[in-house]
Amino acid sequence: MGILGKIFTWWDGATIGTSLYSARNGAKVGEDHLGNVYYKGKDDRRWVIYNGPNDASRVPAEWHGWLHHTFDEEPESFLPPPRIWEKESTPNLTGTAQAYRPKGALEQGGRRAQATGDYEAWSPDAS
């Protein structure tokens, strides 16, 4: 992304203002496996600079806990190794071709199941 993109966009990485604030007021605490960088300010404020699109679902659970002051230590210093049954986090797929679309969704043909009679519509005239 060019310099104009850094000045005027906020949705794809840090803006120039955020980068300057991070350099002046923050100390780098760590980095996750996705390349996101985590900072801590002098006033105990915590923030993340995303490696790519700004999407909160791209913050791993261990770093989410640190960002929200659930624990004070950096995640790498005290987390146990991942369990064999744990899955990798997935990004938010809303608005993409991989998004969940139930039966009846317009993208799935728009055909919903017939009503079974257990629903009674509200009417303003009913007393």
Side-chain angles (χ1 to χ4, degrees), residues 106-122:
L106 293 176
E107 294 87 356
Q108 297 286 11
R111 304 267 316 162
R112 290 184 15 179
Q114 196 77 14
T116 60
D118 61 346
Y119 173 78
E120 186 177 324
W122 175 81

Side-chain angles (χ1 to χ4, degrees), residues 14-119:
T15 62
I16 287 182
T18 305
S19 299
L20 290 174
Y21 182 83
S22 299
R24 290 186 62 202
N25 301 321
K28 182 179 174 182
V29 174
E31 190 172 328
D32 65 21
H33 65 280
L34 297 171
N36 301 326
V37 182
Y38 298 87
Y39 291 90
K40 184 174 184 179
K42 298 169 189 151
D43 56 354
D44 202 33
R45 187 177 301 171
R46 299 171 182 187
W47 66 94
V48 59
I49 303 293
Y50 294 101
N51 179 23
N54 294 341
D55 182 4
S57 68
R58 297 184 65 233
V59 174
E62 59 269 15
W63 280 103
H64 180 272
W66 179 82
L67 280 171
H68 292 275
H69 299 269
T70 303
F71 45 84
D72 288 328
E73 302 84 17
E74 293 89 39
E76 283 93 12
S77 64
F78 73 95
L79 284 178
R83 307 267 195 246
I84 197 166
W85 43 264
E86 289 183 279
K87 288 184 173 183
E88 283 291 319
S89 62
T90 57
N92 185 349
L93 299 175
T94 303
T96 68
Q98 294 84 27
Y100 172 70
R101 292 180 176 85
K103 291 181 182 176
L106 293 176
E107 294 87 356
Q108 297 286 11
R111 304 267 316 162
R112 290 184 15 179
Q114 196 77 14
T116 60
D118 61 346
Y119 173 78

